[in-house]
């Protein structure tokens, strides 16, 4: 219980929004940054306890990604995650990272399939430089370029084509 509480306290303190959702996009948990990101007028919102995007095509893509992510820990999907860039009124789009999450990862002990969705707050987009990221994580220049492209919303297949690598 103490470890779970510590994990939840850490999530609450993050400036990155974290949503934990079920396979049908029903929000099971969110931190304060996620609540702020889903405020009225935002392209990301919670309606009837479900996480939704204002753009119907992106919302369909989110629902499909969440469904695949929730099945991965159960061995019924090979989905490793997806980044969906949501246009914001503040210029650059806001990336949503959809990731698989083990069914027992929440403190509530739920056995249902889950996914984690991470979203940065547009107002807090003080992104570290690629050199800083490279130094912190000990990445090669090529790994850093790939990571920066993924963080900026590129799909792996798009990056491979642009970079001319396989």
């Amino acid at each position: 219980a103490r470890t779970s509480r510590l994990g939840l306290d850490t999530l609450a303190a993050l400036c990155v929004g974290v949503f934990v959702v079920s396979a049908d996009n029903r929000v099971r948990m969110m931190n304060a940054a996620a609540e702020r990101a889903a405020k009225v007028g935002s392209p990301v919102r919670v309606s009837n306890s479900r996480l939704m995007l204002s753009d119907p095509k992106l919302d369909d893509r989110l629902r499909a990604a969440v469904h695949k992510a929730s099945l991965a820990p159960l061995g019924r999907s090979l989905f490793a995650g997806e980044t969906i860039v949501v246009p914001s009124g503040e210029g650059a789009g806001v990336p949503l990272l959809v990731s698989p999450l083990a069914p027992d990862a929440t403190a509530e002990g739920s056995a249902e399939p889950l996914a984690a969705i991470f979203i940065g707050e547009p107002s807090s987009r003080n992104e570290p430089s690629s050199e800083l990221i490279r130094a912190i994580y000990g990445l090669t220049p090529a790994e850093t370029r790939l990571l920066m492209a993924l963080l900026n919303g590129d799909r792996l297949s798009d990056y491979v084509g642009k970079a001319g690598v396989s």
Side-chain angles (χ1 to χ4, degrees):
R2 184 175 178 207
T3 302
S4 292
R5 184 76 246 154
L6 180 61
L8 292 174
D9 288 346
T10 301
L11 278 179
L14 290 175
C15 66
V16 172
V18 181
F19 295 93
V20 174
V21 298
S22 60
D24 64 353
N25 280 28
R26 203 170 285 281
V27 176
R28 297 299 183 209
M29 185 175 82
M30 67 178 142
N31 66 358
E35 287 181 31
R36 288 190 299 274
K39 66 186 179 297
V40 176
S42 168
V44 178
R45 65 184 188 282
V46 177
S47 178
N48 295 324
S49 299
R50 284 193 165 80
L51 185 64
M52 303 175 77
L53 300 178
S54 57
D55 180 306
K57 287 184 181 182
L58 290 178
D59 189 56
D60 288 344
R61 191 168 151 201
L62 174 66
R63 283 188 284 121
V66 165
H67 181 74
K68 289 186 283 187
S70 67
L71 296 177
L74 305 176
R76 298 189 301 197
S77 166
L78 296 176
F79 187 78
E82 180 175 353
T83 301
I84 300 170
V85 179
V86 180
S88 79
E90 299 179 21
V94 177
L96 291 174
L97 175 62
V98 181
S99 299
L101 187 64
D104 58 355
T106 63
E108 297 155 2
S110 170
E112 72 179 321
L114 299 170
I117 301 171
F118 301 90
I119 178 172
E121 293 183 86
S123 61
S124 68
R125 295 204 37 136
N126 299 328
E127 296 178 4
S129 72
S130 60
E131 286 305 311
L132 178 61
I133 289 175
R134 181 176 173 208
I136 290 172
Y137 295 103
L139 302 175
T140 67
E143 290 169 334
T144 304
R145 287 190 299 274
L146 171 60
L147 177 61
M148 296 308 289
L150 295 174
L151 289 173
N152 286 319
D154 285 355
R155 289 183 170 191
L156 185 57
S157 58
D158 296 336
Y159 177 79
V160 169
K162 286 183 212 174
V165 296
S166 60

